[in-house]
């Protein structure tokens, strides 16, 4: 075997980056949980000052700050021995209202990683591993990670890209958010369109309980309710809009879900499908975004689908052609890509 030492060194360098990133994920979750980023965003601080501000231990905080600086998640000034966040770092790490708030991604990844021992067995047996079987960190992290993107694009871009839907929502429409999880997408729509009525459905009972409490906190419980129901069995047959956010590919029987959505819509209703961005050909997804989605799909999406009936296992990188096939096999006659972002594809399906 003839090794190209330059290629070997490049690959080992990539490994060092990835190994550091895997450990760094834990420090991000710690920092977000303890309010370290938010406090540091106020002004430069020494470890002692940050520890005092956040009521934490100085020695732990000093090591944490050093890790942040080494990872490029904070800045260090040797002259003052203070750490700080740049505007960009603060925007993504300390501002929960930012469309680029990122710590939730690490919480979700650590939650998924807790299931690795069970997934090793699933690889051997071909068994599924349901969403509900994962650690609660995955559920909370998913909400924290996806909500900023939804807040940035859902009302301002995605809904306006659908034919006639925005006008219906402003006038007063009936909406089902299927696979709603903690209800972030449902609540954003309810806050934007007070004349409409919304119901969020999810098979995961604890998520529905969380979403119901969130609706109360948000002050929209008068026009939003959440119920436990599966994608192929939720009630109602007169919806103006049915939405599914980043979950159709997780379903065991997405074609069956498509048929049920069709049956639940008004004749002039619309189905909005939000999916992870993906090209149709695997080789066109071999990039940093595809890496995130294929890895998540290996641990979360594909096992979740395998745990359900049919177990089609579309995966998080299904692409437009496979989504079109699923939707049209469910009976929809019209399907189009309405809009996109670097992380999502938004489809419109009509009866």
């Amino acid at each position: 075997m003839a090794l190209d030492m330059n290629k070997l060194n490049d690959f080992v360098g990539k490994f060092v980056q990835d190994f550091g990133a895997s450990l760094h994920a834990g420090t991000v979750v710690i920092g977000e949980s303890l309010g370290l980023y938010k406090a540091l965003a106020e002004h430069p601080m020494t470890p002692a000052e940050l520890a005092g501000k956040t009521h934490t231990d100085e020695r732990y905080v000093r090591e944490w700050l050093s890790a942040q600086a080494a990872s490029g998640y904070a800045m260090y000034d040797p002259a003052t021995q203070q750490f700080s966040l740049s505007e960009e770092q603060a925007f993504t790490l300390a501002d929960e209202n930012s469309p680029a708030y990122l710590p939730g991604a690490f919480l979700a990844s650590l939650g998924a990683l807790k299931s690795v021992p069970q997934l090793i067995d699933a690889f051997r047996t071909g068994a599924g591993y349901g969403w509900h079987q994962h650690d609660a960190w995955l559920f909370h992290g998913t909400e924290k990670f996806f909500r900023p993107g939804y807040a940035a694009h859902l009302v301002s871009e995605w809904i306006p890209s659908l034919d006639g839907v925005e006008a219906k929502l402003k006038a007063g429409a009936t909406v089902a958010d299927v696979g709603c999880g903690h209800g972030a997408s449902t609540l954003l729509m309810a806050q934007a369109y007070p004349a409409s009525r919304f119901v969020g459905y999810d098979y995961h009972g604890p998520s529905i309980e969380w979403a119901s409490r969130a609706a109360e906190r948000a002050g929209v419980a008068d026009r939003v309710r959440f119920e436990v129901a599966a994608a192929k069995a939720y009630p109602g047959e007169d919806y103006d809009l049915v939405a599914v956010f980043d979950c159709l590919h997780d379903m065991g029987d997405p074609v069956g879900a498509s048929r049920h959505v069709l049956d639940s819509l008004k004749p002039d209703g619309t189905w909005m499908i939000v999916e992870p961005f993906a090209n149709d050909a695997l080789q066109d997804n071999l990039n940093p975004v595809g890496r995130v989605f294929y890895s998540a799909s290996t641990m979360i999406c594909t096992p979740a689908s395998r745990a359900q009936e049919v177990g089609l296992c579309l995966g998080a990188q299904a692409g437009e052609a496979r989504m079109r096939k699923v939707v049209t096999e469910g009976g929809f006659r019209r399907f189009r890509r309405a809009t996109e972002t670097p992380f999502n594809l938004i489809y419109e399906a009509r009866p």
Side-chain angles (χ1 to χ4, degrees), residues 258-329:
S258 177
R259 292 193 188 100
H260 188 69
V261 171
L262 182 62
D263 291 341
S264 73
L265 280 172
K266 290 180 178 178
D268 64 344
T270 300
W271 185 17
M272 177 173 64
I273 304 161
V274 178
E275 279 286 305
F277 187 94
N279 297 295
D280 290 326
L282 187 151
Q283 62 269 23
D284 295 329
N285 296 323
L286 303 182
N287 52 55
V289 173
R291 180 194 190 197
V292 169
F293 287 135
Y294 277 127
S295 296
S297 189
T298 299
M299 294 188 292
I300 305 167
C301 312
T302 303
S305 180
R306 179 63 64 83
Q308 304 167 53
E309 59 181 349
V310 180
L312 189 61
C313 297
L314 286 172
Q317 292 288 267
E320 183 172 348
R322 294 189 74 190
M323 282 297 161
R324 179 185 296 274
K325 186 173 186 293
V326 162
V327 171
T328 55
E329 284 184 358

Side-chain angles (χ1 to χ4, degrees), residues 123-320:
F123 265 67
R124 292 194 178 105
T125 64
Y129 194 79
W131 172 262
H132 62 282
Q133 294 177 268
H134 284 277
D135 187 87
W137 275 16
L138 176 60
F139 314 141
H140 298 303
T142 297
E143 178 193 6
K144 281 181 176 286
F145 178 54
F146 281 99
R147 188 187 183 284
Y150 295 162
H153 301 289
L154 173 56
V155 173
S156 62
E157 300 170 33
W158 297 351
I159 288 176
S161 74
L162 307 175
D163 185 18
V165 170
E166 185 176 41
K168 289 183 180 180
L169 291 172
K170 288 180 176 179
T174 304
V175 181
D177 187 356
V178 179
C180 65
H182 280 189
S185 51
T186 325
L187 299 181
L188 286 167
M189 290 188 290
Q191 289 167 330
Y193 305 106
S196 292
R197 295 295 177 265
F198 301 84
V199 56
Y201 296 112
D202 201 288
Y203 89 99
H204 187 233
S207 288
I208 289 298
E209 292 173 6
W210 179 281
S212 297
R213 293 192 297 270
E216 294 284 352
R217 292 193 299 270
V220 296
D222 61 319
R223 55 187 181 272
V224 178
R225 74 178 191 274
F226 292 96
E227 298 180 9
V228 176
K232 297 198 301 181
Y234 64 86
E237 54 184 18
D238 58 351
Y239 295 107
D240 296 288
L241 173 68
V242 173
V244 294
F245 290 87
D246 290 294
C247 65
L248 186 61
H249 65 272
D250 294 306
M251 297 179 188
D253 183 12
V255 175
S258 177
R259 292 193 188 100
H260 188 69
V261 171
L262 182 62
D263 291 341
S264 73
L265 280 172
K266 290 180 178 178
D268 64 344
T270 300
W271 185 17
M272 177 173 64
I273 304 161
V274 178
E275 279 286 305
F277 187 94
N279 297 295
D280 290 326
L282 187 151
Q283 62 269 23
D284 295 329
N285 296 323
L286 303 182
N287 52 55
V289 173
R291 180 194 190 197
V292 169
F293 287 135
Y294 277 127
S295 296
S297 189
T298 299
M299 294 188 292
I300 305 167
C301 312
T302 303
S305 180
R306 179 63 64 83
Q308 304 167 53
E309 59 181 349
V310 180
L312 189 61
C313 297
L314 286 172
Q317 292 288 267
E320 183 172 348

Side-chain angles (χ1 to χ4, degrees), residues 50-112:
L50 181 57
K53 176 76 173 179
T54 56
H55 306 289
T56 52
D57 181 81
E58 187 275 337
R59 183 61 187 90
Y60 278 121
V61 168
R62 179 164 25 116
E63 208 71 5
W64 180 86
L65 282 167
S66 300
Q68 302 313 298
S71 297
Y73 279 48
M75 299 183 296
Y76 176 63
D77 184 351
T80 63
Q81 297 187 340
Q82 290 181 320
F83 295 81
S84 62
L85 297 182
S86 69
E87 293 294 330
E88 295 75 19
Q89 289 164 339
F91 187 69
T92 55
L93 296 170
D95 182 1
E96 293 194 39
N97 294 316
S98 160
Y101 187 64
L102 299 179
F106 291 99
L107 183 62
S109 66
L110 291 182

